[in-house]
Amino acid sequence: MTNDALKQTLQLHRLEGLCRFSPEQIAILLHATRLGEDALALALLPLARQKAQVPVSGFRVGAIAIGGSGHWYLGANMETGGLPLNSALHAEQAAIGHAALFDEHHIEKIIVSASPCGHCRQFMHELNQDSLMLVLPDDHFMLDELLPHAFGPADLGQSCGMLNSPIGSLGQQNDQQPTAQDLACLAAQAEANASYAPYSHNRAGVALLLDNGHICRGRYLENAAFNPSLGPMQLALSQLFLQGYGADQIRRAFIVEASADVQQYDAAARLLGQLSAVTLDRLVL
Ligand SMILES: [Zn+2]
């Protein structure tokens, strides 16, 4: 199926511009395109790729995470000019982080336009699932084929995975509750509680309040190998771009994080500061 034919199909069913598809929407597209699931996902990758932010490399990567609920989540790589290369977010991370924000507990498949780098293989290993299939344009693999003899959560005594760790209770143990009317701050707190920080215990969440009242959210997703950890601001900004917004629409920004030896605020403020003049408000609980 050509890109133009797919675009027409999406327009016909009022599905253009989406970065997330429900099982019902996928059923409509499978029927309309007569494609199989993998072929449809590969055909949708250009939609993800066009959301990429690549001021450094110019190399766009798109990914789709298919969650256990049947929802499909798009992801794209995101680079930030002016910052070191390790501030970049990879497409697979963006797609899995996207699924995490919608409380998926299992990923069935990752569809990606280029072979996953070692960083992403390590990041995906933190899902701590029995198996994970990776679908590429011309091939498919199981994650353990691409990452044999892996180091992961079990080596650090963790039995849960990135999408199924216990919910935290930040903000419920003391009087430092954010004001009830501040929905964005409450959203950041909720994301901090839902974040995954088994190694540092630095639960953290970010919320970006936009000029139209919409809130883009991000949560911290930690990794046993530390470096592939996904920061809450990275995920919130990835959501901003995936949803079709721009950094100039950010009006308020909040980070809520746990008091721990590791802190997210400086890195998050530096990342936000490259894209927006808005001050990052911080709440440590
Ligand atoms: Zn990667």
Side-chain angles (χ1 to χ4, degrees):
M1 165 170 257
T2 65
N3 278 348
D4 283 347
L6 182 64
K7 270 185 194 164
Q8 285 176 2
T9 304
L10 290 165
Q11 283 171 358
L12 183 65
H13 296 283
R14 301 178 185 279
L15 299 176
E16 70 271 32
L18 296 185
C19 61
R20 182 176 60 258
F21 295 92
S22 69
E24 295 75 21
Q25 290 167 331
I26 293 300
I28 289 169
L29 289 175
L30 288 169
H31 184 261
T33 60
R34 300 177 191 276
L35 295 173
E37 184 179 272
D38 290 356
L40 175 62
L42 288 165
L44 289 171
L45 280 182
L47 297 183
R49 255 200 321 265
Q50 74 187 24
K51 310 271 192 183
Q53 301 289 315
V54 288
V56 180
S57 71
F59 186 73
R60 294 175 178 271
V61 184
I64 296 175
I66 298 182
S69 71
H71 285 75
W72 291 22
Y73 303 90
L74 273 55
N77 55 332
M78 181 183 77
E79 302 161 355
T80 307
L83 291 184
L85 293 182
N86 62 10
S87 67
L89 179 70
H90 297 206
E92 298 92 320
Q93 292 182 293
I96 292 170
H98 192 168
L101 291 170
F102 286 84
D103 295 327
E104 289 286 349
H105 296 297
H106 185 84
I107 301 295
E108 298 286 343
K109 285 181 187 174
I110 302 286
I111 294 84
V112 61
S113 58
S115 183
C117 72
H119 177 90
C120 285
R121 295 176 197 199
Q122 185 70 48
F123 182 79
M124 291 187 279
H125 186 53
E126 197 72 28
L127 290 167
N128 210 8
Q129 298 183 175
D130 289 340
S131 64
L132 176 65
M133 179 178 282
L134 303 171
V135 178
L136 301 172
D138 299 314
D139 215 338
H140 64 274
F141 299 95
M142 302 308 289
L143 179 59
D144 55 9
E145 291 180 81
L146 297 180
L147 195 68
H149 312 293
F151 175 85
D155 295 298
L156 296 181
Q158 292 301 319
S159 56
C160 60
M162 184 165 36
L163 301 187
N164 49 35
S165 67
I167 296 289
S169 54
L170 294 180
Q172 295 171 12
Q173 301 139 317
N174 55 45
D175 296 329
Q176 290 180 287
Q177 294 274 8
T179 55
Q181 62 269 41
D182 198 331
L183 293 175
C185 192
L186 286 170
Q189 183 178 328
E191 292 305 330
N193 278 317
S195 66
Y196 173 74
Y199 311 113
S200 70
H201 307 293
N202 176 220
R203 288 183 182 274
V206 159
L208 305 174
L209 178 62
L210 308 189
D211 53 7
N212 63 357
H214 183 70
I215 296 171
C216 290
R217 304 186 302 167
R219 69 176 68 162
Y220 182 39
L221 296 172
E222 206 159 63
N223 192 277
F226 288 15
N227 301 69
S229 301
L230 194 170
M233 183 61 78
Q234 285 178 300
L235 186 53
L237 289 170
S238 168
Q239 284 290 302
L240 178 85
F241 296 122
L242 282 171
Q243 293 173 28
Y245 297 112
D248 59 340
Q249 293 180 257
I250 301 171
R251 288 295 171 268
R252 298 285 303 273
F254 299 91
I255 184 167
V256 174
E257 63 180 318
S259 174
D261 292 340
V262 169
Q263 292 288 276
Q264 300 295 320
Y265 173 78
D266 286 344
R270 197 159 69 126
L271 183 53
L272 178 67
Q274 292 295 323
L275 299 168
S276 167
V278 169
T279 302
L280 180 60
D281 289 326
R282 182 192 204 191
L283 184 62
V284 178
L285 295 172

